[in-house]
Amino acid sequence: MPCRRRRSHSPARAAPCAQPVPPQSRTPSPACRFATTRPAPRTRPPTRAPASPAQAALFAALFQTGWFVESMWTQTLVLHMLRTELVPVLQSRASAALTALTVAGVALVSALPFVPGAAKALGLVALPASFFGLLALLMAGYSALSAAAKALYVRRHGSLL
């Protein structure tokens, strides 16, 4: 005879107990009692105080600025990664014109948030220095993944283009 289970608010959480209850005993065995106890209530994580409208607007502007700068860097990196089957910069160098144009574009877009007139006109805000450290790590990872995907594609199809 299986042991009796206590009713809980959620019958799906109550696990059946394999310990039999002797007919003369009305209390379940300790093992059965452990299996049928109600789980501890879940506590909610502490909530943060709601941001003021000014803080929310600053966060949105910072996020959009970071996304704008990061997208220029990744687009430029992909342009160089897909230009050749070889590893860019190490095994194959782009023409001077392409290199100058991409470096100038990345430098200009990276500097725009720090130019007061341009930043205000475009709705950009100055990025913290830590952003550029994270961006460099992101670009290294992005470059490694692009190189791996390119190598798989070349191995499967014989050439990049």
Side-chain angles (χ1 to χ4, degrees), residues 81-147:
M81 291 298 293
L82 297 180
R83 182 185 56 79
T84 179
E85 290 181 22
L86 302 174
V87 177
V89 179
L90 300 177
Q91 295 175 340
S92 172
R93 295 189 189 254
S95 69
L98 179 63
T99 302
L101 187 62
T102 55
V103 168
V106 167
L108 176 70
V109 167
S110 298
L112 277 177
F114 301 101
V115 177
K120 186 174 182 178
L122 296 172
L124 304 175
V125 294
L127 294 165
S130 60
F131 171 80
F132 292 99
L134 292 173
L135 183 60
L137 288 174
L138 180 70
M139 292 298 104
Y142 197 78
S143 178
L145 287 174
S146 297

Side-chain angles (χ1 to χ4, degrees), residues 3-67:
C3 69
R4 291 169 284 135
R5 293 188 294 176
R6 291 186 210 165
R7 289 211 171 255
S8 67
H9 295 290
S10 169
R13 289 188 183 175
C17 184
Q19 298 291 326
V21 177
Q24 69 273 16
S25 172
R26 297 191 136 268
T27 60
S29 67
C32 185
R33 188 175 301 133
F34 177 75
T36 59
T37 57
R38 191 195 261 179
R42 292 183 182 172
T43 58
R44 296 175 71 188
T47 57
R48 297 176 75 185
S52 70
Q55 288 175 325
L58 179 63
F59 175 78
L62 185 64
F63 181 82
Q64 289 172 347
T65 302
W67 194 340

